[in-house]
Amino acid sequence: MTWLAILLVLAQVFWQSKPPAEWNDIELARFLSDSPWAQMAAPADKSASVPPVQVYLATAEPVLKAVAERSRRAALRRPPNPNTEAPLREEFEAWFSDNRVGHIIVAARVGNTSTKNSSAFTSESEMRRMQQDCTLDLGHVKVKLKSYFPPTSSDPYLYLAFPRGPVSAADKSIAFDIYLPGVPGPFRTVHFTTKDMLLNGKLEM
């Protein structure tokens, strides 16, 4: 191997050089919080002393594989209870399958239904505000939220689905303005750069 080839290999980040099954737990957590498809979103009010929220593009192929690996490891550590989790999981999988192709789905970790913010997802005013204030911003056009799936007792993520149609590789970046019910500092904005989301020459989102 030439020195140039060695340098190119060393320059590759771990998600380009090996599959999720070969990542260690730290790499897996990092990918889902700090990568071209994921970030920790700070509140819009920079003066607010509230923690950032983990946000990632759940429909991107590399994220799908990473989440599957995370679930596999979690099941090995603590097998799921089929009596309480299977129906909810099946409902989510059906919703995700129906929305994945035509939508970009954003996942935001807001806490499961056992946490204190769970009542926000039964509040009509909070749900109405979320649907009004969540948008996909392409600069030249803003796209409204189309559908969502709330967190459950076994899944602490809120899933927000935006129509994929207006987005193209010609867009230099995409931004999501999101309102997270029950979360301190509920307004968050996340930006993703399209050129960084190319994997093997294909735009993944």
Side-chain angles (χ1 to χ4, degrees):
M1 182 180 290
T2 66
W3 278 109
L4 178 59
I6 292 173
L7 289 173
L8 288 173
V9 170
L10 292 175
Q12 283 187 314
V13 289
F14 63 87
W15 58 78
Q16 293 175 328
S17 59
K18 54 186 179 179
E22 296 179 12
W23 301 349
N24 59 41
D25 288 347
I26 294 176
E27 289 173 329
L28 183 57
R30 178 189 161 193
F31 178 83
L32 290 172
S33 61
D34 182 18
S35 73
W37 301 274
Q39 60 183 268
M40 301 301 292
D45 181 3
K46 302 300 182 183
S47 64
S49 56
V50 297
V53 171
Q54 180 193 25
V55 177
Y56 56 73
L57 299 180
T59 37
E61 188 65 26
V63 173
L64 284 169
K65 292 178 180 178
V67 169
E69 179 60 21
R70 181 182 64 184
S71 298
R72 185 188 71 81
R73 295 183 192 185
L76 290 174
R77 296 185 182 110
R78 188 181 67 178
N81 184 342
N83 294 324
T84 59
E85 296 185 5
L88 291 172
R89 190 64 195 174
E90 290 174 2
E91 185 178 348
F92 167 73
E93 288 176 352
W95 176 87
F96 194 89
S97 177
D98 287 343
N99 286 277
R100 182 192 170 193
V101 174
H103 298 80
I104 298 173
I105 299 177
V106 176
R109 187 182 178 96
V110 297
N112 57 38
T113 52
S114 64
T115 57
K116 62 182 180 180
N117 71 341
S118 61
S119 61
F121 290 93
T122 59
S123 166
E124 289 186 11
S125 62
E126 282 291 277
M127 292 297 93
R128 183 165 56 251
R129 191 168 189 181
M130 180 188 72
Q131 293 179 66
Q132 291 174 345
D133 293 344
C134 287
T135 59
L136 162 59
D137 188 353
L138 296 173
H140 57 90
V141 64
K142 287 192 175 183
V143 184
K144 299 295 289 185
L145 178 70
K146 182 68 177 294
S147 180
Y148 70 92
F149 197 92
T152 67
S153 59
S154 59
D155 189 344
Y157 291 86
L158 165 66
Y159 297 90
L160 304 167
F162 299 87
R164 186 182 292 270
V167 183
S168 74
D171 295 305
K172 292 183 178 180
S173 66
I174 59 174
F176 296 90
D177 295 314
I178 55 179
Y179 180 86
L180 305 176
V183 173
F187 290 101
R188 311 284 168 126
T189 298
V190 289
H191 296 268
F192 298 96
T193 304
T194 51
K195 68 179 179 61
D196 293 338
M197 292 190 287
L198 292 171
L199 194 63
N200 298 321
K202 181 182 177 183
L203 179 60
E204 294 288 357
M205 63 174 69

